[in-house]
Amino acid sequence: MARPTGAKGSGAKLSSSERLDRRSKSLKPLIDSFWQWCDQAEALPKSRLGKALIYAQNQRKALNQILNFGEIDLSNNASERNMKSYVIGRKNWLFSTSPKGAEANAIWMSWIESAKANGLTPFKYLQDIIEKISKLPVFMKTEELEAYLPWNWQDENKPSIPAKMAVAK
């Protein structure tokens, strides 16, 4: 029987505290069982199973965060969907022929996708913050720069739309 796709039943419409509660009841026992099995499993370190066990053990702390934070989504579908345009257009990114070029590309992609996720027009947002940040003093405090982050930035010509409403459109 095929498993249903989509957000139905995944808790996507729950608040973070409701997700956390649901996870502590239904997911925690499964994860505890998984770690118990990993701790007791015997496999040669260089076998496929051995490599998978080592990888899982090395990621245990990160993987367990799903039980501590209801804000974390169980799926990375949204991230993958956001990256799809970059994968499809990878020939356009040939300037990333060095680690510095790749780093610059990753920074721009992060800014653009963060702007989209917060309901902003990326070009307008980037144009505005580049202009404003270039006029700031050299040694700004972190708190002063936070106003320029996509979730805090407001277009002076348009009333702000909460990110949840903008994404839902």
Side-chain angles (χ1 to χ4, degrees), residues 88-143:
I88 290 170
R90 66 182 169 263
K91 288 185 181 179
N92 296 329
W93 308 110
L94 290 176
F95 68 87
S96 296
T97 58
S98 70
K100 289 286 187 190
E103 183 179 354
N105 188 25
I107 290 168
W108 280 106
M109 288 168 44
S110 296
W111 279 103
I112 290 167
E113 291 305 325
S114 294
K116 287 180 188 177
N118 285 279
L120 306 176
T121 305
F123 180 79
K124 194 171 188 177
Y125 165 68
L126 291 170
Q127 184 179 31
D128 187 60
I129 65 164
I130 288 170
E131 180 183 321
K132 289 179 179 173
I133 290 176
S134 68
K135 297 175 183 174
L136 295 174
V138 178
F139 298 104
M140 295 290 296
K141 293 181 180 177
T142 303
E143 302 81 38

Side-chain angles (χ1 to χ4, degrees), residues 6-7 10 12 19 71-87 109-110 112-114 116-118 167-168:
S10 67
R19 271 194 206 174
E71 295 85 359
I72 298 174
D73 198 350
L74 284 174
S75 168
N76 70 342
N77 288 346
S79 298
E80 288 194 18
R81 188 174 46 254
N82 290 339
M83 294 305 297
K84 188 174 183 178
S85 62
Y86 295 102
V87 172
M109 288 168 44
S110 296
I112 290 167
E113 291 305 325
S114 294
K116 287 180 188 177
N118 285 279
V167 172

